[in-house]
Amino acid sequence: MASNYDNSAWFYDRLSRLVYGKALINAQVYLLQFIKPNSNILIVGGGTGWILEELAKIHPTGLKITYIEISANMMTLSKKRWVADNQVTFINSAAEDVAATTRFDVLITPFLFDNFKEETLQKIFAHLHAQLKTGGIWLNTDFQLSGKWWQNVLLKSMFIFFRLICGIETSVLPDIEKEFNLYKYNVIAEKTFFGDFILSIAYNKS
Ligand SMILES: C[S@@+](CC[C@H](N)C(=O)[O-])C[C@H]1O[C@@H](n2cnc3c(N)ncnc32)[C@H](O)[C@@H]1O
């Protein structure tokens, strides 16, 4: 079952800001410093597309961005974003259904993998891995459980809420770091946000 955020598109950003303040934004913006000028970038699951504006602030020109988002409503909002002179190709589809035609310098997956069961994660990870150049960088942000009780409560509440509203398939966090280790990615830099609950890592493909 593919999750689809159509029903939440109109309130998603407001809700996430209410719960997390600017942490979800700061966690993703932190990783953008690792993007070199003129990069060819793949963004998967960009939601309402605010990250396009943050990218444009840092690199107002020269970026070639492919933006894949499964939700049509999220895509409509994303297409309205200011992208400066960057070239953006919008693809309204599941990332795993988009055949790779090019290899990217940078891959961005912000809060994408927490939607999936282990086997879906493995399938999508392998598909995306094949689209990143050797030496390319993968910027991943997602939740992690670092042992604090409230993280479990918050995570469970989110899974219940987004299963009801958006039909997400999982009710537990899949092991995301295991995939990066399996494919021998090297950590360039990492940082946690919101009391360790959010983990941003820049990886390098060896
Ligand atoms: C939790 S939201 C995060 C949105 C955004 N990255 C943010 O931080 O605001 C996950 C997004 O991934 C999209 N998504 C889920 N499964 C996908 C898939 N298989 N291919 C492409 N997009 C997907 C959803 O529609 C949703 O917009």
Side-chain angles (χ1 to χ4, degrees):
M1 178 173 61
S3 61
N4 192 316
Y5 277 65
D6 268 348
N7 293 335
S8 71
W10 65 277
F11 65 78
Y12 185 88
D13 282 352
R14 256 170 296 166
L15 179 66
S16 66
R17 256 145 248 190
L18 197 69
V19 179
Y20 295 104
K22 281 202 83 187
L24 302 188
I25 297 173
N26 292 341
Q28 293 175 56
V29 169
Y30 159 73
L31 291 174
L32 302 183
Q33 62 181 300
F34 300 102
I35 298 175
K36 297 199 177 85
N38 304 315
S39 290
N40 194 4
I41 304 174
L42 174 63
I43 301 174
V44 183
T48 67
W50 59 262
I51 198 165
L52 293 169
E53 299 190 349
E54 295 298 333
L55 272 167
K57 284 184 204 164
I58 302 169
H59 298 281
T61 187
L63 300 180
K64 264 182 78 181
I65 302 169
T66 301
Y67 185 94
I68 305 181
E69 173 50 67
I70 197 173
S71 155
N73 291 349
M74 288 291 200
M75 196 52 119
T76 303
L77 296 173
S78 299
K79 283 182 175 166
K80 293 181 184 151
R81 296 290 181 176
W82 169 74
V83 299
D85 289 330
N86 294 320
Q87 184 192 317
V88 186
T89 307
F90 292 97
I91 305 176
N92 183 204
S93 173
E96 58 275 30
D97 295 340
V98 180
T101 51
T102 181
R103 285 195 158 211
F104 296 92
D105 304 308
V106 180
L107 235 138
I108 305 181
T109 46
F111 298 98
L112 174 73
F113 294 134
D114 59 26
N115 288 288
F116 307 130
K117 285 188 168 160
E118 208 72 45
E119 57 267 32
T120 313
L121 163 67
Q122 288 166 11
K123 199 176 91 188
I124 297 180
F125 193 100
H127 184 75
L128 296 179
H129 167 74
Q131 298 182 55
L132 185 62
K133 282 181 189 164
T134 303
I137 64 167
W138 191 327
L139 307 177
N140 187 63
T141 306
D142 222 312
F143 296 106
Q144 67 166 357
L145 293 170
S146 67
K148 294 176 182 139
W149 67 269
W150 56 266
Q151 295 174 342
N152 272 305
V153 175
L154 210 45
L155 195 64
K156 278 266 175 279
S157 317
M158 282 190 292
F159 280 139
I160 292 169
F161 181 76
F162 284 108
R163 174 181 278 252
L164 283 171
I165 306 283
C166 309
I168 71 162
E169 63 176 22
T170 191
S171 49
V172 288
L173 201 57
D175 195 342
I176 301 165
E177 276 189 86
K178 191 175 89 188
E179 292 306 303
F180 283 103
N181 290 335
L182 195 69
Y183 286 86
K184 309 229 173 316
Y185 278 80
N186 305 308
V187 174
I188 303 170
E190 61 183 299
K191 191 169 174 182
T192 58
F193 299 82
F194 206 77
D196 284 355
F197 191 32
I198 297 166
L199 176 62
S200 288
I201 308 188
Y203 291 98
N204 175 257
K205 182 173 175 176
S206 55

